[in-house]
Amino acid sequence: MSEDFQFAWMVYAVSTLIMLLAGWWFMRNWRWSWVRQTLLLVVAAVLLIPAKTSVAESVAVPVLPLFVYQTLFEDEGAAPEVITHLIFASGGALAIMLVWGFISLLLKFRRKRQRRFNEDPYFDEQ
């Protein structure tokens, strides 16, 4: 990979991280933090996961900009491998964060019930 391309990747990655930090900052007061984290992780995954095209000796390009470029400017539309990369990047990030969110909701519910039981020893929820 050439130095210019490495520099472009660094600029792209830093600007994407700055955008994600700004998104986190503006959504920091949301009630359910795992929803905010899910949105930010999915956006990060589709913006930062690289995809290689079927062209020989091509370089890795971020998957979402490549998908948009191919959809808009190429005759056949987006290549199947780019669409696959996009689906797996966003779907994988979403699945991980949904599992994390459900586990955190379950733990919060259990802590709330335990605290209620500690305050009232006669509490019996059936």
Side-chain angles (χ1 to χ4, degrees), residues 32-86:
W32 290 1
S33 66
W34 67 272
V35 175
R36 175 190 69 227
Q37 293 167 353
T38 301
L39 291 174
L40 291 175
L41 185 69
V42 169
V43 169
V46 298
L47 286 175
L48 291 175
I49 299 290
K52 284 196 131 284
T53 60
S54 59
V55 178
E57 297 183 19
S58 66
V59 293
V61 180
V63 70
L64 186 62
L66 181 62
F67 173 77
V68 171
Y69 174 80
Q70 286 182 348
T71 303
L72 294 177
F73 298 114
E74 293 198 6
D75 294 334
E76 296 99 25
E81 54 270 356
V82 173
I83 294 171
T84 305
H85 280 290
L86 183 65

